[in-house]
Each structure stands twice: as structure tokens, then as C-alpha cells.
Amino acid sequence: MTAELVRGQNHPLSRNRVEIRVSAGAAVLALAATADEGGRLAGPRALAHPGARALPGLEVPDRVGDRHRFTVDLDAVGTEVHHVRVLLVLPPGGPARFGAVAVPHVAVADPEGAELAGYTVTGLDSESAVVALELYRRQAAWKVRAVGQGYAGGLGALLADAGLAGPAAAELVGGGGQCQHGGAC
């Protein structure tokens, strides 16, 4: 049975290998960020994006699209990782804000395809980047939390809020929220 989450709600995960599914009303980039126990990114290498798609235990899609699927192996992310965040970013040249498109839906499924938890990201307007949901470690168990935190300032503002600002963020983000490692973000 699928748990349909609302913003702020969490749900235990019964599996450590899961599939993330994204369905959006417009083309988006689906990124992933890993963070420490305090929720801070360890640096630019803590963000998986089209130019650097893989981190230990996960690999994000290499393209912009309105549907994405990628797997996360929570046993392989490393003991220092306590949060795996799923980020959605509107790319340059498309809609400028999530309020102008149909709301995105993000789901966590088991390897066999059964959906464990889903979250429809409502309440967005001027935001062009959003932390849709996160998988987080609490003691020895993993849970999923519906986050829905949007950023009108785009990916740069999202990264700064996660502790990745200044030269570290500039390595990833240029004007307009584009990743500098091989593709638009």
C-alpha cells in the first residue's frame, strides 16, 4: 500500500534499495544531493547532476525530461551521508517558475516496482528549484520525508541554503542556474 505524503510528513522505508520516480508537468532536471547529519552538503561533489551523474549509491538521469527514474542504494551511500535529497530544477529556456506548470509528483518505489510512498509537490509559485523529498537516516533506519521547499532564487539559492555557497557553489552554478559540469541545471 502506498503512503501518499503531505509536506513535512515522513514514512519508514522497508527497503534500502529504492527507485525514485519523478513525474512533472514540464521538463525538469532531477538532481540528487547528499548531506551530513546536520543537513549540510560536503561540497560540490555532494551533488549529482547531468555533468557528474553518479555519487556512491546513486546515479541521476542525464537529461531534461518530464519523467525520470533512478535508483538509490542506501547501503552504498556511505556512513557520513544522512540525507539524500531529490531536487527538481526548471532548466533555462522552459517555464521560469513551478507555478506555471502542473504540479510535480515524486515517488519512492521498491525494486520490484511497488510504490512505497508518494508526494505531490503543491504550493509552489515563483520557485524554479525545489527540494521535493529526502531520504534520511534516523538511527539505523531510513525514512522518506515530503519536503516541498522551493527556491525562487533557483539552484544557487537552494545550494546556499544547504551550506554550499561562494566559490563551491559557483563551481556548479552560473548565471541562470546552469551547472557548469557538462550541462544545464
Side-chain angles (χ1 to χ4, degrees):
M1 185 169 147
T2 302
E4 188 59 37
L5 305 177
V6 298
R7 183 175 291 174
Q9 188 176 11
N10 62 41
H11 185 74
L13 288 177
S14 58
R15 304 284 188 102
N16 280 2
R17 184 169 173 83
V18 295
E19 180 179 78
I20 304 295
R21 298 175 182 168
V22 176
S23 173
V28 298
L29 280 161
L31 313 176
T34 57
D36 63 17
E37 194 169 8
R40 296 289 182 219
L41 302 183
R45 288 179 179 39
L47 180 70
H49 56 84
R53 295 179 47 215
L55 293 174
L58 63 99
E59 185 173 331
V60 298
D62 64 351
R63 62 177 174 73
V64 172
D66 63 349
R67 298 197 184 285
H68 297 284
R69 288 178 182 232
F70 59 96
T71 58
V72 178
D73 182 350
L74 295 168
D75 291 329
V77 297
T79 57
E80 72 284 357
V81 173
H82 289 263
H83 301 267
V84 176
R85 296 186 177 127
V86 176
L87 317 177
L88 304 179
V89 180
L90 292 171
R97 59 190 189 88
F98 276 104
V101 299
V103 296
H105 181 81
V106 183
V108 179
D110 68 23
E112 292 77 38
E115 195 170 295
L116 304 171
Y119 173 50
T120 302
V121 189
T122 60
L124 298 176
D125 185 26
S126 62
E127 299 86 348
S128 61
V130 62
V131 178
L133 62 78
E134 73 176 349
L135 309 176
Y136 68 98
R137 188 188 323 246
R138 182 74 63 210
Q139 296 166 354
W142 285 91
K143 296 182 177 188
V144 58
R145 178 184 351 241
V147 179
Q149 175 65 51
Y151 294 84
L155 181 60
L158 186 157
L159 293 174
D161 195 39
L164 191 60
E171 182 179 331
L172 292 171
V173 181
Q178 293 187 349
C179 284
Q180 301 300 306
H181 292 281
C185 270

